[in-house]
């Protein structure tokens, strides 16, 4: 059964069809939310919220994009909204050092300092570069899917990924971790 057929059944009120769509796309939706939020609990909340919103908006879904792309766009927008809310809350509630440790800067890896600097370099990127890089690095989405989620041309996605990698590499090179050449 294709997504289009499941959507048609869901339009007619078939809750099992909607359940199949959720099951089919839940992992990809969660990974998109996790790429934006970098927190499993927040990503789960956003994923569930996005599927509820998609269910409510399903009558307005016209099929211009694949259901998966439509759903991932909803997830991505909800994740960005959540991230903005969390950032505002952290700015009012906690010092930056604590925010960085919660973001995963203290993960157990062989070279903690390199990991910490890499996380800092990625966090220092502009949101458009950072988001695009995190989605591309997840390995889950090709450039076309990322372009559809972010509603920008594929060429822009390619440039953003290359530019983000270049900036991270340059920052690490300044710190003596990598050779820029």
């Amino acid at each position: 059964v294709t997504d289009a057929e499941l959507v048609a059944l869901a339009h007619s009120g078939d809750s099992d069809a909607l359940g199949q769509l959720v099951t089919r796309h839940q992992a990809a939706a969660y990974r998109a939310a996790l790429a934006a939020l970098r927190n499993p609990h927040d990503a789960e909340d956003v994923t569930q919220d996005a599927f509820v919103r998609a269910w409510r908006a399903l009558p307005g879904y016209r099929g211009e994009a694949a259901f998966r792309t439509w759903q991932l766009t909803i997830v991505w927008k909800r994740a960005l909204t959540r991230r903005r809310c969390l950032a505002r809350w952290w700015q009012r509630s906690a010092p930056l050092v604590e925010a960085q440790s919660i973001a995963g800067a203290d993960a157990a890896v062989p070279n903690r300092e390199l990991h910490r600097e890499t996380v800092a370099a990625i966090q220092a990127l502009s949101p458009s570069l950072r988001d695009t890089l995190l989605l591309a690095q997840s390995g889950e989405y090709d450039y076309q899917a990322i372009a559809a989620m972010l509603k920008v041309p594929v060429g822009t996605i390619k440039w953003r990924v290359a530019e983000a990698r270049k900036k991270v590499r340059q920052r690490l090179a300044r710190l003596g971790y990598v050779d820029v050449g």
Side-chain angles (χ1 to χ4, degrees), residues 37-40 90 94-108 112 115-117 119-120 123:
L37 297 166
R38 294 182 295 261
N39 179 298
W90 272 111
L96 183 58
V97 173
E98 287 181 40
Q100 288 175 342
S101 69
I102 290 171
D106 294 326
R112 285 184 179 194
H115 178 72
R116 190 179 346 267
E117 292 299 338
V119 169
Q123 288 176 339

Side-chain angles (χ1 to χ4, degrees), residues 6 9-10 14-26 51 55 58 67:
L6 288 173
L9 290 170
D14 186 340
S15 61
D16 289 336
L18 186 60
Q20 286 182 35
L21 284 168
V22 170
T23 301
R24 192 175 282 184
H25 300 291
Q26 189 169 16
F51 274 107
W55 174 71
L58 197 57
F67 177 82

